[in-house]
Amino acid sequence: FVHRFDSGHEKEIGTASPHFGESELDALPQNDKSSIEHRLAGIWEEYAGRIPSALVETWVMTATWKAAAAGQAGWVSGHFFDSGLPLEYGLAVTLDVFEKIEQPLLIIDAERSGQLTQALGISSVPDLVDVVLGQAPLETSVVPLNDNGLCFLPNRQLHRTQGLPNWVDVHSLFQSVRETFGLAVVFCSMTTDLLTSRILRNCDDFWVWCREGHTPVRHVKEMMKNAGRLQRQAAGAVLVTM
C-alpha cells in the first residue's frame, strides 16, 4: 500500500509521551545514561506533534502480524529516508511504536552520515561497521537506550561506510538480531551504495520515507527498481509534509 501521512492527514494526533526507564542503564557511564534519555525525550517532544496516530497504528499492526505469519523469530524492518527528511522524525515514530508492541526493539543506524548516532551523542562503543566487518560482536556494540528493552546499534565510522569490501553482508547480523530482539528497525539513506543494498536484500520488509516537494521521483524509482531486482516489495511509502 501507499499512504499519505502528514500533519494534516487527521485531526487527532497521538501525543502521549513515551515511558523511559527510571533506573540506571548499567552499560553506560552515568552522565551518558542521563544524556541519552534527555536527548531521546527532546527528539520525541520536537516531532511528536507531527506524528499521525494512523502511521503508528499501521506500523504496529504490520510489525505484529507479519512476524507471526512468517513463523520465525524476530523481524527486521528497513526504513529508507530521503536526505531532506530528518531521521529524528522516524525515531520519534519508532518510540511510539515501541510503547505499543511491548517487546524488545533494536534501532540500527545504517544511514551514511550517522545522523541518529550524532543526535544521541554516542561515540565510545563499537558500531555497525565493526560488527559487519567481524571486528566486534553484536552484544558489545548495542547500547541500551532505556531499561525496557529499547536498544541502539550506532554508526560512528562514517569514513569507512563508503569503502566497505564487496564481501561485507548483513545476513548473519540480521539473523542474530532476529534471535535476540522481537523487532529491529534499520534506518538508511535512500541510496544504492553497498551497505544499503545489502540491507535491502536481507531485511524482512522495507518502507520508503519521502518528503513532499523535496524527494526526487527518480530516487524513488531507482529504489523500487533495485528492490525489484532483489525480488523485494515495499511494505509502505510514507509521504511527510514538513
Side-chain angles (χ1 to χ4, degrees):
F1 62 90
V2 177
H3 205 91
R4 179 191 180 98
F5 293 107
D6 56 40
S7 57
H9 177 68
E10 56 183 11
K11 295 181 180 179
E12 296 183 1
I13 297 178
T15 57
S17 177
H19 170 73
F20 296 106
E22 297 178 355
S23 59
E24 295 182 355
L25 304 177
D26 295 332
L28 296 173
Q30 182 60 48
N31 59 336
D32 288 340
K33 299 169 190 173
S34 59
S35 174
I36 288 177
E37 288 196 347
H38 179 75
R39 288 170 184 262
L40 270 176
I43 290 170
W44 187 87
E45 289 170 1
E46 179 177 357
Y47 291 95
R50 309 180 192 182
I51 302 173
S53 58
L55 172 55
V56 176
E57 296 298 335
T58 300
W59 190 356
V60 170
M61 180 180 67
T62 57
T64 302
W65 75 260
K66 282 188 175 181
Q72 65 182 32
W75 190 263
V76 178
S77 183
H79 291 252
F80 298 83
F81 277 70
D82 168 63
S83 60
L85 187 61
L87 288 184
E88 288 85 347
Y89 184 99
L91 176 59
V93 178
T94 305
L95 293 176
D96 273 4
V97 171
F98 173 71
E99 287 297 304
K100 294 179 181 298
I101 62 174
E102 298 182 342
Q103 62 181 356
L105 187 149
L106 175 66
I107 299 170
I108 300 176
D109 183 5
E111 197 268 332
R112 59 183 179 181
S113 71
Q115 186 180 143
L116 287 181
T117 301
Q118 295 178 49
L120 294 175
I122 297 173
S123 60
S124 60
V125 294
D127 70 346
L128 172 65
V129 174
D130 291 319
V131 174
V132 297
L133 290 177
Q135 297 172 354
L138 176 65
E139 55 268 24
T140 63
S141 306
V142 168
V143 177
L145 298 183
N146 67 15
D147 287 336
N148 300 324
L150 180 65
C151 296
F152 183 70
L153 180 58
N155 177 17
R156 300 180 297 100
Q157 303 177 82
L158 311 182
H159 63 287
R160 298 182 68 189
T161 304
Q162 303 302 313
L164 292 174
N166 288 332
W167 56 261
V168 162
D169 207 344
V170 296
H171 177 73
S172 59
L173 167 62
F174 284 3
Q175 284 296 94
S176 297
V177 166
R178 292 184 186 101
E179 294 170 2
T180 307
F181 298 88
L183 175 66
V185 177
V186 188
F187 288 98
C188 306
S189 303
M190 196 182 297
T191 60
T192 57
D193 60 85
L194 176 67
L195 182 59
T196 302
S197 297
R198 296 292 194 269
I199 290 169
L200 179 60
R201 176 187 296 171
N202 290 280
C203 61
D204 297 304
D205 72 5
F206 76 95
W207 296 60
V208 179
W209 293 68
C210 305
R211 179 176 176 180
E212 186 176 38
H214 183 276
T215 307
V217 174
R218 63 182 178 85
H219 287 180
V220 179
K221 288 183 176 180
E222 288 173 2
M223 182 79 195
M224 301 310 295
K225 184 178 180 179
N226 191 28
R229 286 197 297 265
L230 298 172
Q231 299 183 334
R232 309 307 310 278
Q233 186 172 3
V238 182
L239 178 63
V240 178
T241 299
M242 299 297 292

